[in-house]
Amino acid sequence: QSVLTQPPSASGTPGQRVTISCSGSSSNIGSNYVHWYQQFPGTAPKLLIYRNNQRPSGVPDRFSGSKSGTSASLAISGLRSEDEADYYCAAWDDSLSGVVFGGGTKLTVL
Amino acid sequence: EVQLVQSGAEVKKPGESLKISCKGSGYSFTSYWIGWVRQMPGKGLEWMGIIYPDDSDTRYSPSFQGQVTISADKSITTAYLQWSSLKASDTAMYYCARGPTSSYFNYWGQGTLVTVSS
């Protein structure tokens, strides 16, 4: 049972816009930044969004993040087949004094 | 170029000890947090803990406190994750990662697969 809650799966067709939600509490998302990671099978995770809505260099602007209260979302616009991967949200948790991850969302491009 | 290179895959028996490593290069090793993340087979990411190599300030997830030890040797820009007595449930991929702060990681190692089986 992960501290942050994500839907286990999401899907969309090429060109569509999909969103992945991440729900937490006042001790994590409600009071700290949210970060998102992308992971392809058999590879290490990659930072996709940091500090709620910042993109590292090299990440396409099709990826965007937002936060409101104790929830956050990752949006992917202009969906492409190569976006098919697992996506994880993460945030610092003040009660646990550590980072908590969501359980991950497997994105399928139909 | 920032690189984190982890030690190779390990196969161990329950009760054995193990220390895996993560060598950083291409940046100031003492200026960034290094963390460890576990991924059990077919499962999600779990944050284990982090260390600031400059002063060895170390934080652990409550789930891993007392189960593992995180350390770093700044003279050879290497961080470590060690177990004193492995269990079958420690079978997983372990990633090291670098963070500009303690809350997120912007560079990751390639992972070290640890298999514990009798």
Side-chain angles (χ1 to χ4, degrees):
Chain A
Q1 192 93 1
S2 301
V3 175
L4 304 182
T5 301
Q6 297 180 236
S9 63
S11 64
T13 56
Q16 259 191 334
R17 182 178 187 269
V18 297
T19 60
I20 296 172
S21 62
C22 176
S23 177
S25 68
S26 57
S27 65
N28 43 66
I29 293 178
S31 52
N32 294 293
Y33 290 119
V34 178
H35 318 287
W36 291 88
Y37 298 91
Q38 177 189 56
Q39 186 182 32
F40 297 105
T43 69
K46 169 192 163 186
L47 182 66
L48 195 64
I49 297 286
Y50 67 102
R51 292 182 179 169
N52 301 337
N53 55 20
Q54 302 299 300
R55 281 187 307 277
S57 62
V59 173
D61 59 7
R62 301 186 296 106
F63 295 90
S64 62
S66 63
K67 183 184 113 167
S68 178
T70 58
S71 293
S73 290
L74 172 70
I76 310 172
S77 61
L79 197 62
R80 297 184 178 185
S81 58
E82 57 260 38
D83 297 332
E84 195 162 281
D86 294 323
Y87 293 85
Y88 295 90
C89 60
W92 185 266
D93 190 292
D94 293 331
S95 298
L96 299 173
S97 294
V99 170
V100 289
F101 282 101
T105 297
K106 182 176 182 61
L107 176 64
T108 301
V109 180
L110 302 169
Chain B
E1 178 197 5
V2 174
Q3 283 196 307
L4 295 172
V5 179
Q6 298 185 228
S7 48
E10 302 274 1
V11 179
K12 292 288 190 179
K13 290 183 167 35
E16 292 186 330
S17 63
L18 176 65
K19 191 173 189 178
I20 62 175
S21 66
C22 169
K23 182 168 176 62
S25 63
Y27 71 98
S28 174
F29 185 74
T30 54
S31 299
Y32 293 84
W33 293 89
I34 291 268
W36 290 92
V37 175
R38 183 175 79 173
Q39 188 166 38
M40 299 177 76
K43 301 299 183 183
L45 306 175
E46 298 175 89
W47 187 88
M48 302 176 72
I50 46 170
I51 187 167
Y52 194 71
D54 191 41
D55 59 6
S56 292
D57 180 12
T58 308
R59 324 273 177 88
Y60 292 93
S61 161
S63 299
F64 292 95
Q65 178 84 47
Q67 308 304 307
V68 297
T69 300
I70 293 171
S71 60
D73 185 339
K74 58 187 179 182
S75 69
I76 54 171
T77 67
T78 300
Y80 301 96
L81 178 65
Q82 70 179 93
W83 296 258
S84 58
S85 181
L86 286 160
K87 305 187 257 303
S89 57
D90 292 318
T91 294
M93 181 70 81
Y94 293 88
Y95 293 102
C96 69
R98 187 199 87 163
T101 75
S102 57
S103 71
Y104 72 98
F105 301 122
N106 57 356
Y107 286 94
W108 292 69
Q110 82 277 20
T112 295
L113 180 62
V114 174
T115 303
V116 184
S117 174
S118 55

